[in-house]
Amino acid sequence: MTEYLLHPRITENKDWATALFILAFAIIAITKSFNENRFGDFINLIFSDKYSKVYRDSSQLKSSFTISLFFVQVISFAFFIQISLNIFGYASKTDWLLYIQIITFLIFFILSKFLVEKIIATTFNIEEFMEQFNLQKITYRTYIGIIILPINIILFYHNTVSQHIPITIIAIILGLSILTYALSIKKYQNVIFSKLFYFILYLCTLEIAPYFFMYYLFIKGSA
């Protein structure tokens, strides 16, 4: 008599990710339809500084264009973090509960950091400069988030991915971030040098320390 061993079929639920990818592209499409000229300037950001010159007013931080693309940015970076963790063997890329935790942490981290920056800028009377500086950082960070969104889709639906790919993407992101800071510092160098002590304090406490501590906690947790 033949015995049959039944093994449970493990299926990964990717529907939630598909829905989020569609949502992200829907937000981009809607934003583009309502702000066609601005979106065109934004897409050409890597080739021209027209966007940063035209939309440099600090009030743009609260515009619907910036806020809507902020959500796309967060969705994209949260996917990239989870996919990277999966590639390095720390998590599953289809774990939607983990994705909620990551995106919640990202939103909390960005907004709390922005709030602290606001308080420090008000205290040192550099509020206008800091808002323009933040706007430029957010603009470039959003641009990077949109660029890696289609890359996330490819990595998410591809089963075998080399560890060199996320490392290369992270290196590119870091390089672009450093370039963004350099361009921002060059653009606002007169204001920065007049408030040099406060800017160094801001740079150390809010731009270097948070990422250093996150890296330390991650290394300690994975050890």
Side-chain angles (χ1 to χ4, degrees):
M1 187 175 179
T2 305
E3 292 184 1
Y4 296 95
L5 295 177
L6 300 178
H7 298 279
R9 184 179 178 184
I10 300 174
T11 59
E12 295 181 329
N13 183 9
K14 298 180 180 179
D15 293 343
W16 64 270
T18 303
L20 281 175
F21 284 132
I22 293 173
L23 174 63
F25 280 107
I27 294 174
I28 293 173
I30 293 171
T31 304
K32 180 180 181 297
S33 64
F34 282 98
N35 306 271
E36 193 165 349
N37 293 332
R38 180 173 182 176
F39 190 84
D41 294 336
F42 175 76
I43 291 299
N44 292 322
L45 188 63
I46 196 171
F47 306 108
S48 171
D49 60 349
K50 180 182 176 182
Y51 181 88
S52 58
K53 287 181 177 179
V54 175
Y55 304 99
R56 59 178 297 176
D57 189 84
S58 58
S59 62
Q60 298 298 329
L61 276 171
K62 301 175 183 178
S63 68
S64 59
F65 184 90
T66 303
I67 293 173
S68 59
L69 292 185
F70 167 78
F71 286 107
V72 176
Q73 171 201 155
V74 173
I75 291 172
S76 181
F77 279 117
F79 266 117
F80 179 73
I81 292 172
Q82 183 159 347
I83 293 169
S84 298
L85 290 174
N86 172 255
I87 293 172
F88 289 104
Y90 292 110
S92 170
K93 63 184 177 183
T94 57
D95 187 349
W96 61 273
L97 287 176
L98 175 61
Y99 183 83
I100 291 175
Q101 292 174 343
I102 293 173
I103 199 169
T104 301
F105 172 79
L106 277 179
I107 294 173
F108 173 78
F109 176 77
I110 293 172
L111 294 182
S112 59
K113 186 170 176 289
F114 176 78
L115 180 61
V116 174
E117 287 175 353
K118 187 84 171 176
I119 294 172
I120 291 177
T122 303
T123 303
F124 295 137
N125 197 25
I126 53 173
E127 191 172 5
E128 182 65 24
F129 155 72
M130 198 57 67
E131 286 183 350
Q132 291 183 0
F133 190 67
N134 274 328
L135 178 61
Q136 184 141 332
K137 287 193 304 176
I138 291 171
T139 299
Y140 282 98
R141 193 168 60 221
T142 301
Y143 191 82
I144 295 171
I146 291 177
I147 288 176
I148 66 173
L149 183 61
I151 299 175
N152 287 333
I153 296 175
I154 296 172
L155 296 179
F156 186 84
Y157 292 104
H158 202 279
N159 292 327
T160 55
V161 179
S162 170
Q163 293 183 354
H164 295 294
I165 294 178
I167 291 175
T168 302
I169 295 173
I170 291 171
I172 293 172
I173 291 174
L174 288 175
L176 290 174
S177 299
I178 293 171
L179 179 62
T180 300
Y181 275 106
L183 291 174
S184 299
I185 291 173
K186 182 180 179 181
K187 184 175 181 179
Y188 300 109
Q189 59 183 333
N190 293 331
V191 180
I192 289 173
F193 288 135
S194 65
K195 306 279 186 178
L196 188 59
F197 172 76
Y198 302 129
F199 181 75
I200 293 174
L201 179 64
Y202 157 80
L203 200 64
C204 293
T205 56
L206 294 175
E207 294 298 330
I208 298 176
Y211 300 104
F212 174 79
F213 282 119
M214 281 196 299
Y215 173 78
Y216 173 77
L217 290 173
F218 177 75
I219 295 299
K220 185 179 179 180
S222 59

